[in-house]
Amino acid sequence: MKLNQVLSALNQIEKSKFITCLDKLCSNAAAYDATIDKTLNKVNRQIKDASGSEISLLFAAVAEHYKVAIEERLTLCDASMALLVNILSRDGNGVARISWLEQLYSREWEVLDSLSRQIQQEINSCIADNYCREHRLKIFNDCLKIAYSNDLKTNRQANISDDERSILNVLAQHLKISHDEVVAIEHLSDPIKAGKETVENCLQDLREMGVIFINRKRSEVLIPDEVVAILNQIQHKELADKHLLRILRVLSDAELANILKSYGKRIRGVSRSERISTIMHSGISVRDMLGRDLYDENESQNKRKERLKQLITDLDIDAERIGQTVDERINVILESLNSATEREFNAMSATGYKEMFDALEENFHGKDPDGRQESLSQRLKREFELEDTEEINVERLRALSITPHDLLYLINNDEMRDLRDTMNLPKKGNPRFHLLDVFASANDKLIENFAALARRDLMGLKESGIDVSEADLGLKFEEATKTILEQMDLNVDEELRKSINTAKDKADIILSISDDDIIIGEAKTCKNGDFAKYSSTSRQIKAYVKRCENQGKSVAQVLIIAPSFSQDFIESAEMDTEVNISLLTADGLKQIYDAYRSKRKPNFSARLLTKGGLLKADLIAKSI
């Protein structure tokens, strides 16, 4: 979840530690940082009274200072904190119950302890000085022991300083010791604590630092995407696991074997999926992997550059320049993947994502590592470490920043080919990209025929290649309306809509225009003539307004979208003293949308929809 979304989901007490931390950082930095000083002035230097969007802007301005402050605090913590931070910053763990995090920590500790014992046995069995795997592990272990015990010589508590750790990181890189092995070897000298109490103490410390938020009512930990990105930088993790998986999916079996061989990992009798899983969980540097490990030893620089060029194509990376050197091409890959999330969400509407998810849930028949049948939801829970009892839907996936692309790369290449054949997709080219195009273009067709959809013109829709049943026309119009509003960069708040809806009262659309202000939207289709049902529509929207206000939201406007309105309807809406109502025709919304899409930097605000009465779409379109 984005920081703004996290802040809107919490009360003032739950946000207090983060805001106090941010206030202190901004106050200290404003004296010598003009950008921060200017941003502070926009909120009258009162961060506690700032809105969520204003706090997000402040955080972006002070992010580098925040990173330094958090890194200093984490350096003073023990290894158990590092283990928990690693868990919290993984994909899918941005929103998780405390009890589930305790289970993940316990599971992780057991795996780590087992690896430590295994490494200890390998070190004890080392009798050769030939830089074999056992000898390399022994060298690193001896160096780490010295770094850890240096403080004892000066009568200080044993610890590894930042300088010592940076040297150990370089040593591990050259000895080709993976990150999970580094942590396991350190566990031999400085055992990581286990138990619920350890997790509880660490979570409280992280809250005090302003790293996490805790929703006490739901016993839930929330960590914003912006903070996760900073934690990854602190951990020297250049790429999220979900993006690393994309790279591994397009590498050949021989290249995966080369990576594993570089770190002394087993490759004989190991399946492709096991190879990918081992690399994912080893914490191998993606830069080392792309620059060195995946190639044969005698591979020339030119061949390495050509392989990276092909990798950029395979990952569908659209870059103006792909660079001339190996490092430049690696940078293009990493920068593109790190900035992919927002771009991928924008490429497909929430409705398109939902339709794609439903289609995959119906047609996907995979298997887990033990060979058991596995649904898409089960695959998601396993790969993203989601709780077994958690309901998987598109709203939840969006909250966890899991994009349509992320979803498809959880499915291995063989499974994707089976899906391609089941769903009758073209056999040439990348089946993942074909599937994304199908659901992106389906929404484009609905928007192109938006007016016909509003008028319930079934024949006209079929002539345009849109196969939809008459019973689904209202739902499709609602979904297309959401898509248009989303693509105009309005915040369609599905979480809030879901929370206020009941079996009886179901709002179509809610737009969040600030932390507390919202617009309630209703999408109405009408087959013959003008839409004229004011009394029933009025009862509906007033029930929605009441439910929103009960949740502390201020309803700035109600927006009703229909093919056209009767004169009585328009006059009744204008004269209603209980709610503020704006009316907009389907043709008018499409006109505004087309004007918005035609501009490179459109000047549009949700406030333009709050003028009241029948909105003049042509004037709004011109103002954009």
Side-chain angles (χ1 to χ4, degrees):
M1 291 176 79
K2 291 291 184 185
L3 177 58
N4 193 16
Q5 293 172 297
V6 172
L7 292 170
S8 65
L10 300 170
N11 62 40
Q12 199 61 36
I13 295 174
E14 291 163 342
K15 297 185 283 190
S16 61
K17 297 296 181 183
F18 176 81
I19 290 173
T20 299
C21 168
L22 192 63
D23 195 358
K24 184 178 178 182
L25 285 173
C26 288
S27 298
N28 292 339
Y32 55 88
D33 191 316
T35 303
I36 295 172
D37 187 57
K38 185 178 178 180
T39 312
L40 264 179
N41 286 333
K42 288 182 180 178
V43 296
N44 298 319
R45 312 188 84 82
Q46 297 296 318
I47 297 178
K48 292 179 181 179
D49 299 328
S51 67
S53 55
E54 289 169 333
I55 290 174
S56 297
L57 290 173
L58 276 168
F59 183 81
V62 81
E64 281 303 314
H65 302 278
Y66 177 88
K67 177 187 171 184
V68 171
I70 297 303
E71 192 165 11
E72 288 175 355
R73 295 284 298 274
L74 290 177
T75 301
L76 301 175
C77 299
D78 59 19
S80 56
M81 177 67 85
L83 181 62
L84 183 61
V85 166
N86 179 265
I87 292 169
L88 285 168
S89 58
R90 286 183 200 155
D91 308 317
N93 290 342
V95 182
R97 291 197 309 146
I98 293 174
S99 58
W100 179 241
L101 289 174
E102 290 169 349
Q103 290 182 48
L104 290 178
Y105 184 91
S106 175
R107 186 191 304 172
E108 194 80 5
W109 188 93
E110 289 172 5
V111 170
L112 175 65
D113 193 57
S114 175
L115 180 59
S116 291
R117 291 196 301 272
Q118 177 191 322
I119 288 175
Q120 185 66 72
Q121 290 175 357
E122 291 184 64
I123 291 171
N124 292 342
S125 67
C126 179
I127 55 175
D129 291 341
N130 60 356
Y131 288 99
C132 62
R133 172 180 162 80
E134 291 80 5
H135 186 215
R136 297 200 309 272
L137 291 171
K138 186 177 186 302
I139 291 171
F140 187 81
N141 184 51
D142 290 345
C143 292
L144 189 140
K145 279 183 177 178
I146 294 296
Y148 183 70
S149 60
N150 270 342
D151 293 320
L152 297 176
K153 296 175 184 177
T154 55
N155 199 27
R156 291 184 299 178
Q157 182 178 348
N159 201 0
I160 298 176
S161 70
D162 282 352
D163 288 343
E164 290 167 334
R165 189 170 296 282
S166 64
I167 294 169
L168 287 170
N169 288 341
V170 173
L171 180 64
Q173 182 185 24
H174 286 286
L175 292 176
K176 293 191 175 180
I177 295 173
S178 59
H179 178 72
D180 63 329
E181 291 168 339
V182 169
V183 176
I185 293 171
E186 188 168 348
H187 181 57
L188 295 173
S189 296
D190 183 18
I192 296 173
K193 298 173 187 174
K196 288 185 177 181
E197 189 177 342
T198 301
V199 177
E200 288 172 4
N201 292 337
C202 288
L203 287 175
Q204 191 55 43
D205 288 343
L206 288 170
R207 180 175 179 270
E208 292 288 333
M209 291 181 207
V211 171
I212 65 170
F213 300 84
I214 298 178
N215 184 327
R216 294 296 179 189
K217 185 178 179 181
R218 298 166 62 96
S219 295
E220 197 172 59
V221 173
L222 299 95
I223 178 166
D225 295 345
E226 295 91 333
V227 175
V228 170
I230 288 172
L231 291 179
N232 283 338
Q233 292 172 28
I234 291 172
Q235 297 174 97
H236 306 290
K237 189 174 179 180
E238 291 194 80
L239 205 61
D241 289 342
K242 64 180 184 179
H243 293 139
L244 173 59
L245 178 61
R246 299 187 192 186
I247 294 174
L248 298 178
R249 287 275 189 243
V250 300
L251 297 183
S252 68
D253 289 347
E255 289 169 333
L256 294 174
N258 283 343
I259 295 168
L260 291 171
K261 279 191 292 186
S262 293
Y263 294 86
K265 307 284 187 181
R266 189 167 65 89
I267 59 172
R268 292 188 180 278
V270 179
S271 67
R272 177 179 174 85
S273 60
E274 288 176 312
R275 290 179 181 184
I276 289 175
S277 179
T278 301
I279 295 169
M280 289 282 294
H281 291 94
S282 294
I284 297 170
S285 162
V286 66
R287 191 173 289 277
D288 290 344
M289 196 186 302
L290 294 177
R292 178 190 69 189
D293 300 333
L294 68 86
Y295 311 100
D296 293 331
E297 286 185 11
N298 299 322
E299 201 92 70
S300 69
Q301 285 293 99
N302 282 337
K303 286 190 175 180
R304 295 185 185 202
K305 286 191 290 184
E306 282 302 308
R307 181 63 187 98
L308 291 172
K309 180 181 178 181
Q310 182 59 46
L311 187 59
I312 289 170
T313 301
D314 293 340
L315 292 169
D316 197 31
I317 290 173
D318 184 15
E320 290 184 10
R321 293 181 67 255
I322 64 169
Q324 296 296 319
T325 66
V326 167
D327 282 340
E328 285 174 352
R329 291 184 179 182
I330 291 173
N331 287 337
V332 167
I333 293 171
L334 299 186
E335 287 167 10
S336 176
L337 291 176
N338 278 324
S339 62
T341 298
E342 189 170 349
R343 186 170 63 248
E344 289 167 6
F345 275 134
N346 290 339
M348 183 180 289
S349 70
T351 302
Y353 192 3
K354 182 179 183 303
E355 289 182 354
M356 189 187 90
F357 178 81
D358 291 342
L360 291 175
E361 188 79 293
E362 180 183 348
N363 293 291
F364 174 73
H365 305 290
K367 291 188 177 180
D368 68 12
D370 297 323
R372 295 187 296 260
Q373 287 292 324
E374 185 175 56
S375 69
L376 181 65
S377 292
Q378 289 169 329
R379 175 71 58 88
L380 277 160
K381 288 177 180 179
R382 179 168 59 81
E383 293 288 350
F384 284 108
E385 298 182 324
L386 305 178
E387 201 165 356
D388 290 339
T389 57
E390 190 165 340
E391 180 188 354
I392 301 298
N393 53 43
V394 167
E395 288 78 17
R396 186 62 169 173
L397 297 181
R398 287 175 73 91
L400 295 171
S401 298
I402 298 171
T403 72
H405 289 67
D406 298 332
L407 201 63
L408 293 179
Y409 277 99
L410 289 185
I411 301 170
N412 69 41
N413 296 350
D414 290 337
E415 292 167 339
M416 274 307 307
R417 283 189 281 271
D418 290 341
L419 265 175
R420 174 198 65 194
D421 296 340
T422 302
M423 299 177 71
N424 296 316
L425 299 175
K427 292 189 181 294
K428 286 186 178 180
N430 190 319
R432 292 186 179 90
F433 300 153
H434 287 319
L435 204 146
L436 288 165
D437 287 341
V438 165
F439 290 97
S441 61
N443 281 282
D444 290 342
K445 277 189 176 181
L446 288 177
I447 293 173
E448 285 171 17
N449 295 274
F450 190 62
L453 197 59
R455 294 191 306 272
R456 304 182 71 86
D457 181 2
L458 198 61
M459 293 303 294
L461 292 169
K462 286 186 176 179
E463 287 173 6
S464 299
I466 299 172
D467 187 15
V468 58
S469 68
E470 189 169 6
D472 289 336
L473 285 171
L475 179 61
K476 291 295 181 185
F477 180 62
E478 178 188 322
E479 291 174 348
T481 303
K482 285 182 188 175
T483 300
I484 288 175
L485 295 171
E486 281 180 335
Q487 293 190 7
M488 289 163 62
D489 283 339
L490 297 178
N491 181 12
V492 178
D493 197 331
E494 285 296 297
E495 287 290 322
L496 178 58
R497 187 180 77 91
K498 190 176 175 183
S499 70
I500 71 150
N501 277 359
T502 65
K504 183 181 177 183
D505 299 322
K506 293 185 177 180
D508 291 343
I509 302 162
I510 291 183
L511 302 176
S512 288
I513 55 177
S514 71
D515 283 0
D516 299 316
D517 295 334
I518 63 169
I519 295 174
I520 295 176
E522 280 295 293
K524 301 293 186 183
T525 58
C526 182
K527 191 167 187 176
N528 296 311
D530 300 325
F531 188 67
K533 300 177 182 178
Y534 188 77
S535 58
S536 59
T537 304
S538 174
R539 283 195 298 271
Q540 279 183 317
I541 60 178
K542 286 170 185 176
Y544 307 150
V545 169
K546 186 175 180 180
R547 292 190 64 80
C548 288
E549 289 176 343
N550 287 341
Q551 291 207 17
K553 299 296 181 181
S554 173
V555 180
Q557 199 78 8
V558 172
L559 175 67
I560 302 174
I561 301 160
S564 59
F565 300 92
S566 69
Q567 191 59 37
D568 285 346
F569 193 101
I570 295 170
E571 290 173 358
S572 297
E574 289 175 345
M575 295 300 292
D576 200 317
T577 57
E578 294 184 49
V579 287
N580 300 320
I581 300 175
S582 293
L583 308 177
L584 183 59
T585 64
D587 282 330
L589 179 57
K590 180 66 163 53
Q591 184 181 359
I592 294 168
Y593 170 77
D594 289 340
Y596 182 92
R597 300 287 285 182
S598 69
K599 301 292 183 182
R600 186 176 179 184
K601 292 183 178 180
N603 178 28
F604 179 75
S605 165
R607 299 287 178 186
L608 289 170
L609 305 176
T610 64
K611 300 299 182 184
L614 183 62
L615 298 177
K616 296 180 179 178
D618 54 342
L619 293 181
I620 296 175
K622 286 179 182 178
S623 71
I624 291 174

